[in-house]
Amino acid sequence: MLVLLPPSEGKAASGRGAPLKTGSLSLPGLTAAREAVLGELVELCAGDEEKAREVLGLSEGLRGEVAKNTELLTAGARPAGEIYTGVLYDALDLASLDAAAKRRAARSLLVFSGLWGAVRVTDRIPSYRCSMGVKLPGLGALGAYWRAPMAEVLPEAAGDGMVLDLRSAAYAAAWKPKGEVASRTATVRVLHAPTRKVVSHFNKATKGRIVRSLLASGTAPGGPAELVDALRDLGYAVEAEAPAKAGKPWSLDVLVDEVH
């Protein structure tokens, strides 16, 4: 199973180890595209700070993120699973998984990124700031920029297993499973059970817990229908809707009582 995750806006500090090596990242078919985004981002942030802050959509209080981006080629790198923080990743809590679950995480989790396209949690990257919603002066809107390289690489990464898509809309725009891959893809919403309204903070936390539950249990559903059964066995209240047409993903609603 391939699990597609959004990144987090907040990130841990870069490590003190060796700097980034783009050629060592997973999904090597994305290397050229990554290096193009990386080069333009560093150049942008090394120039006019106010322009960089405007392009990146950063508030005055996040001015320091511009300077951080200028050091991406020399900053120490850490596993992406340690760099990404925030509600979803706190709930997932990769560090506390046992060894077998961590191996499953390394194989199955794929984090989408405006800068890297997508990385595995074991890929070593520096801390950075560049969301998928950014429009770089030279490359344009990153959501659109990544579509062609992702279309080449992601179907192979998905293999013949199911795809669990937990991305937010901005990151889903970079790659939409099509055809046979889409038919074994499931997207997830988290709804407040009494009102059937989409929740925000608890949406992220619940998605993190779902991934953790699947990794910890060793469950490997072969398709969306099997995933629904697996999640129910793990204690989640799930409503599922099979696609009306072939070649479309399943839609899963996970119902929660708490709205944090």
Side-chain angles (χ1 to χ4, degrees):
M1 178 171 65
L2 187 66
V3 182
L4 311 181
L5 297 174
S8 58
E9 289 295 329
K11 298 174 182 68
S14 295
R16 296 188 178 184
L20 168 75
K21 295 181 179 179
T22 55
S24 69
L25 298 178
S26 301
L27 309 179
L30 299 178
T31 299
R34 288 167 174 153
E35 290 177 347
V37 178
L38 178 62
E40 183 168 349
L41 180 62
V42 171
E43 182 179 358
L44 170 71
C45 292
D48 185 328
E49 185 181 80
E50 289 304 315
K51 178 181 178 181
R53 193 160 66 86
E54 180 181 353
V55 169
L56 297 176
L58 300 177
S59 66
E60 176 66 31
L62 293 174
R63 181 180 294 274
E65 298 292 282
V66 175
K68 181 169 72 175
N69 280 349
T70 67
E71 301 174 353
L72 289 173
L73 296 173
T74 57
R78 298 170 62 182
E82 297 177 11
I83 289 289
Y84 294 116
T85 58
V87 175
L88 188 154
Y89 291 91
D90 285 347
L92 174 52
D93 195 7
L94 285 168
S96 69
L97 292 171
D98 64 31
K102 286 179 179 176
R103 288 193 294 271
R104 288 189 281 271
R107 292 193 303 267
S108 63
L109 303 188
L110 201 60
V111 184
F112 275 61
S113 162
L115 175 53
W116 315 115
V119 292
R120 298 197 184 275
V121 293
T122 50
D123 284 331
R124 298 180 64 84
I125 59 173
S127 185
Y128 67 96
R129 191 65 174 239
C130 184
S131 72
M132 192 67 80
V134 164
K135 184 177 182 179
L136 292 176
L139 297 177
L142 291 177
Y145 170 81
W146 281 112
R147 285 175 197 154
M150 290 288 198
E152 292 290 327
V153 171
L154 267 294
E156 181 179 354
D160 58 3
M162 81 153 291
V163 178
L164 175 56
D165 190 351
L166 301 178
R167 298 172 297 166
S168 55
Y171 292 90
W175 181 62
K176 295 183 179 180
K178 295 181 179 180
E180 193 271 333
V181 178
S183 67
R184 45 189 167 87
T185 296
T187 62
V188 172
R189 296 189 307 174
V190 180
L191 304 181
H192 183 218
T195 64
R196 289 302 196 275
K197 292 183 178 180
V198 176
V199 296
S200 54
H201 174 98
F202 208 65
N203 167 61
K204 297 177 181 178
T206 301
K207 287 179 177 179
R209 290 176 187 137
I210 286 172
V211 177
R212 181 179 178 86
S213 296
L214 292 169
L215 293 172
S217 67
T219 302
E226 292 88 341
L227 174 64
V228 171
D229 292 339
L231 290 177
R232 288 172 176 164
D233 288 344
L234 290 168
Y236 294 94
V238 182
E239 295 179 350
E241 183 178 344
K245 297 180 179 180
K248 299 292 183 181
W250 282 54
S251 298
L252 275 58
D253 289 336
V254 176
L255 309 179
V256 297
D257 292 321
E258 300 175 81
V259 187
H260 295 314

